[in-house]
């Protein structure tokens, strides 16, 4: 006759993996110490568990079928709670001793797992409680008693937590030791942070054997170096394990400080065709003449017209006849007043299309011939060049700026007259400048202004014998000339841009 003992309990709440888990106590059935031959079946899992009074311990169970039951004499020394969702068994020691817990499949009665539990009383339980109080906020570690020593085991994410565990374990001397290592998930998380900060989908970041590998494609060498600097910034501190410190093992030291840069640089794309820049140059010359004259003249003159004649014969007696006559000229006053304005404007326009960064030059020259005499007295002809010479080198200041930097040289020469020998007299104006102008905007890059003023007072014409001289005059002459050069750059995609408008204007056909 079999005897059944029911173990009833309440729900236990624990915090595990940053979440709250409710432990549902299963109905555990204790089996007698002896069983009928042939009913046990084949063991699927067997594990020895060493427990210490006052210290709970969680054990991960193997995959279990749906219907299971618990048997054994474990209830004498421990209390067992089963969390079905996590498939974890929690053992709480009650007294010293040795017992067995077996898990059976209800469908066929076979044993799917077996635990051999050994509960001992140790003085290390106080050490365990103190260490849990100091390290309880660090996730991923487990503190237990193994071989009469408190052992801290598990995997953590941060090297600073490893340093804290080391310092706590050192306080207990030979009673405690640490087997904690850095989790591979830490390197994976660091690789994700590096990839997010690099922000380039073509660069892949991987964590392999405590190293960060960068691979993929970068647009330039500067972008590759930037990714490597970011990766080195995220690298954690170096952790030296006990075996390495004592010389049991020697790790290979990475020559690149833990970052392996395998990024390849993309080939530079073919250079885009250079932009074309149309340069429109206007030469403007403005002449303005103004003259004003005033003259008042009253200079009468007396002319002597006396004559003497001899007369003989006739009815009158002969003798000498004389007459005295005089003529007064310029008797009436003269008043002259004149005012004159003169305007003249000369406009020359040139236009040329130049490739970005290339020099463009245009000339408008007239050869003025004049005779010359050679060494042997032979007569020849020479030429004097007059006209306009324009030289401009434009450079586009970036695609988005829309500004054009120009280096310019202008020369304007004109014919003033001829010498008595027939040689031409010319004048020349030259200008060199460098400016920056926005697309389709004009700038007055230079000019020449001339002002001349002359005034004359009381300059009468010569008189021989004026009876009286009243004369007043004033001549005022002002001459102004201004020469200005305007430049307008127009950025074009190609030299043919705008040709359709020209064909339409002049009615040209292809």
């Amino acid at each position: 006759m079999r005897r059944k003992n029911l173990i009833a309990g309440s729900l236990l709440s624990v915090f595990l993996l940053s979440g709250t888990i409710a432990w549902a106590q299963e109905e555990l059935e204790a089996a007698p110490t002896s069983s009928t031959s042939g009913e046990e079946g084949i063991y699927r899992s067997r594990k020895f568990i060493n427990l210490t009074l006052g210290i709970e311990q969680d054990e991960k169970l193997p995959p279990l079928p749906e219907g299971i039951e618990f048997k054994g004499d474990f209830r004498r020394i421990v209390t067992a709670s089963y969390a079905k969702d996590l498939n974890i068994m929690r053992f709480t020691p009650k007294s010293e001793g040795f017992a067995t817990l077996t898990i059976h499949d209800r469908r066929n009665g076979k044993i799917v797992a077996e635990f051999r539990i050994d509960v001992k009383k140790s003085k290390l339980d106080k050490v365990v409680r103190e260490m849990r109080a100091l390290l309880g906020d660090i996730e991923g570690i487990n503190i237990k008693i193994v071989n009469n020593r408190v052992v801290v085991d598990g995997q953590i994410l941060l090297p600073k937590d490893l340093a804290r565990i080391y310092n706590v374990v050192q306080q207990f001397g030979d009673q405690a030791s640490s087997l904690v290592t850095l989790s591979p998930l830490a390197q994976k998380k660091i690789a994700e942070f590096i990839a997010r900060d690099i922000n380039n989908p073509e660069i892949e970041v991987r964590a392999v054997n405590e190293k960060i590998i960068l691979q993929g494609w970068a647009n330039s060498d500067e972008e590759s170096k930037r990714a490597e600097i970011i990766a080195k910034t995220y690298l954690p501190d170096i952790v030296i394990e006990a075996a390495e410190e004592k010389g049991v093992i020697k790790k290979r030291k990475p020559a690149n400080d833990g970052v392996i840069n395998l990024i390849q640089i993309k080939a530079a794309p073919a250079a885009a065709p250079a932009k074309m820049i149309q340069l429109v140059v206007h030469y403007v010359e403005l002449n303005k003449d103004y003259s004003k004259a005033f003259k008042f003249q009253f200079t009468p003159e007396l002319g002597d017209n006396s004559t003497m004649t001899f007369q003989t014969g006739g009815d009158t007696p002969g003798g000498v006849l004389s007459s005295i006559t005089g003529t007064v000229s310029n008797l009436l006053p003269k008043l002259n007043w004149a005012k004159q304005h003169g305007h003249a404007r000369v406009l020359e326009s040139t236009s040329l299309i130049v490739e970005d960064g290339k020099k463009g030059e245009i000339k408008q020259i007239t050869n003025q011939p004049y005779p010359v005499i050679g060494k042997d007295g032979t007569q020849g002809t020479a030429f004097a060049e007059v006209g306009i010479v324009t030289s401009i080198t434009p450079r586009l200041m970036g695609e988005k700026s829309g500004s054009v930097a120009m280096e310019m040289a202008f020369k304007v020469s004109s014919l003033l007259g001829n010498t008595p020998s027939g040689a031409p007299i010319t004048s020349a104006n030259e200008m060199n400048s460098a400016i920056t102008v926005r697309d389709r905007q004009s700038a007055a890059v230079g000019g020449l202004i001339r002002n001349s003023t002359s005034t004359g007072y009381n300059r009468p014409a010569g008189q021989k014998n004026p009876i009286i001289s009243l004369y007043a005059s004033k001549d005022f002459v002002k001459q102004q000339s201004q020469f200005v050069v305007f430049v307008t750059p127009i950025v074009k995609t190609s030299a043919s841009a705008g040709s359709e408008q020209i064909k339409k204007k002049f009615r040209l056909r292809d």
Side-chain angles (χ1 to χ4, degrees):
M1 180 176 181
R2 300 178 62 184
R3 184 175 57 185
K4 298 182 180 180
N5 295 323
L6 299 179
I7 304 175
S10 59
L11 296 178
L12 301 176
S13 299
V14 297
F15 292 96
L16 184 61
L17 300 176
S18 301
T20 302
I21 303 170
W23 291 82
Q25 183 175 4
E26 297 284 341
E27 182 179 301
L28 306 181
E29 183 176 323
T33 55
S34 61
S35 59
T36 306
S37 176
E39 291 182 357
E40 293 185 357
I42 300 174
Y43 292 116
R44 180 178 295 180
S45 174
R46 176 181 295 176
K47 187 174 183 180
F48 292 89
I49 303 176
N50 295 317
L51 301 179
T52 302
L53 284 174
I55 301 176
E56 297 177 346
Q57 184 169 328
D58 298 333
E59 292 293 334
K60 184 71 176 178
L61 299 177
L64 300 177
E66 289 295 331
I68 58 174
E69 58 182 349
F70 301 90
K71 298 181 180 180
D73 57 348
F74 60 92
R75 64 181 182 82
R76 297 183 297 104
I77 59 176
V78 296
T79 299
S81 300
Y82 174 53
K84 187 175 181 180
D85 294 339
L86 298 176
N87 200 29
I88 293 177
M89 182 75 72
R90 169 169 291 182
F91 295 100
T92 304
K94 298 190 300 183
S95 61
E96 293 184 85
F98 183 84
T100 303
L101 169 63
T102 56
I103 303 175
H104 296 256
D105 188 347
R106 288 180 177 177
R107 295 173 298 180
N108 51 26
K110 292 183 179 180
I111 299 177
V112 295
E114 179 183 2
F115 294 95
R116 306 234 175 143
I117 306 169
D118 187 8
V119 179
K120 295 181 179 180
K121 184 177 181 180
S122 175
K123 297 180 180 180
L124 299 177
D125 56 348
K126 181 180 179 182
V127 176
V128 173
R129 288 193 297 270
E130 292 178 354
M131 294 185 69
R132 284 182 176 176
L134 295 173
L135 305 176
D137 57 340
I138 300 178
E139 297 181 1
I141 62 173
N142 186 19
I143 302 174
K144 54 187 176 180
I145 299 175
V146 178
N147 195 19
N148 292 326
R149 177 177 289 188
V150 178
V151 177
V152 184
D153 195 7
Q155 292 180 338
I156 59 176
L157 297 177
L158 302 177
K160 64 178 182 179
D161 291 339
L162 190 62
R164 180 180 172 186
I165 293 172
Y166 175 81
N167 293 331
V168 171
V169 171
Q170 290 298 315
Q171 295 179 5
F172 295 95
D174 296 336
Q175 294 180 332
S177 61
S178 174
L179 301 177
V180 179
T181 59
L182 286 177
S183 173
L185 295 177
Q187 293 290 329
K188 184 178 179 181
K189 284 292 183 183
I190 292 174
E192 292 177 0
F193 292 145
I194 294 174
R196 185 177 60 185
D197 204 348
I198 293 176
N199 195 23
N200 187 345
E202 296 186 0
I203 297 179
E204 180 185 2
V205 183
R206 295 189 297 120
V208 178
N209 195 20
E210 298 182 358
K211 299 179 181 65
I212 300 297
I213 298 178
L214 305 177
Q215 61 185 13
W217 295 90
N219 295 321
S220 62
D221 186 59
E222 289 75 12
E223 187 175 5
S224 174
K225 292 180 180 179
R226 173 181 174 275
E228 183 175 350
I229 292 174
I230 293 175
K232 290 181 179 180
T233 304
Y234 276 91
L235 283 180
D237 299 331
I238 299 175
V239 178
I240 300 177
E241 298 180 358
E244 182 181 1
E245 183 180 4
K246 295 179 180 179
V248 179
I249 61 173
K250 291 184 179 181
K251 289 188 176 182
R252 298 181 182 272
K253 301 296 182 182
N256 43 22
D257 298 332
V259 176
I260 302 175
N261 191 349
L262 302 179
I263 299 176
Q264 302 181 38
I265 308 300
K266 292 182 179 179
K275 291 290 186 70
M276 296 295 174
I277 302 175
Q278 180 182 2
L279 301 171
V280 180
V281 184
H282 296 287
Y283 301 88
V284 180
E285 185 175 4
L286 179 63
N287 296 322
K288 183 179 180 181
D289 298 331
Y290 173 77
S291 63
K292 181 179 179 181
F294 168 79
K295 182 175 70 172
F296 174 80
Q297 183 178 1
F298 179 63
T299 56
E301 295 180 357
L302 179 61
D304 185 8
N305 295 325
S306 300
T307 60
M308 180 180 290
T309 61
F310 296 92
Q311 184 178 4
T312 61
D315 296 334
T316 60
V320 178
L321 298 177
S322 62
S323 63
I324 300 175
T325 60
T327 303
V328 179
S329 62
N330 297 327
L331 184 60
L332 298 177
K334 295 179 180 180
L335 177 63
N336 294 329
W337 184 87
K339 183 176 181 181
Q340 184 179 2
H341 294 272
H343 298 276
R345 182 179 182 185
V346 179
L347 176 62
E348 293 286 345
S349 297
T350 61
S351 177
L352 69 156
I353 296 180
V354 186
E355 185 178 332
D356 182 21
K358 300 297 181 65
K359 180 180 179 180
E361 189 176 66
I362 189 170
K363 294 183 179 181
Q364 295 174 315
I365 298 297
T366 300
N367 293 322
Q368 184 70 28
Y370 61 94
V372 294
I373 298 177
K375 295 181 180 180
D376 300 333
T378 59
Q379 186 174 0
T381 303
F383 296 91
E385 293 185 350
V386 291
I388 299 174
V389 179
T390 304
S391 176
I392 303 178
T393 303
R395 288 183 176 84
L396 188 62
M397 306 294 289
E399 293 289 339
K400 298 181 179 180
S401 66
S403 299
V404 180
M406 296 178 290
E407 297 180 0
M408 301 171 293
F410 303 101
K411 181 179 180 181
V412 180
S413 58
S414 59
L415 181 63
L416 299 180
N418 295 313
T419 63
S421 62
I425 300 175
T426 61
S427 67
N429 297 320
E430 294 187 8
M431 180 180 61
N432 297 315
S433 180
I435 62 171
T436 301
V437 184
R438 292 190 62 83
D439 180 25
R440 301 179 184 274
Q441 293 186 358
S442 301
V445 298
L448 177 64
I449 299 176
R450 292 177 179 175
N451 286 318
S452 63
T453 304
S454 63
T455 305
Y457 295 95
N458 298 333
R459 296 178 182 177
Q463 302 292 336
K464 294 182 179 180
N465 298 309
I467 300 174
I468 186 173
S469 179
L470 297 177
Y471 187 89
S473 67
K474 179 180 179 181
D475 292 332
F476 176 77
V477 178
K478 182 177 181 180
Q479 293 180 341
Q480 291 182 333
S481 65
Q482 184 175 7
F483 175 75
V484 184
V485 180
F486 294 90
V487 178
T488 304
I490 302 174
V491 180
K492 295 182 175 294
T493 56
S494 65
S496 61
S499 60
E500 294 299 328
Q501 290 81 354
I502 297 176
K503 292 179 181 179
K504 184 178 180 181
K505 179 179 180 180
F506 292 98
R507 300 179 181 178
L508 297 178
R509 296 181 180 178
D510 293 335

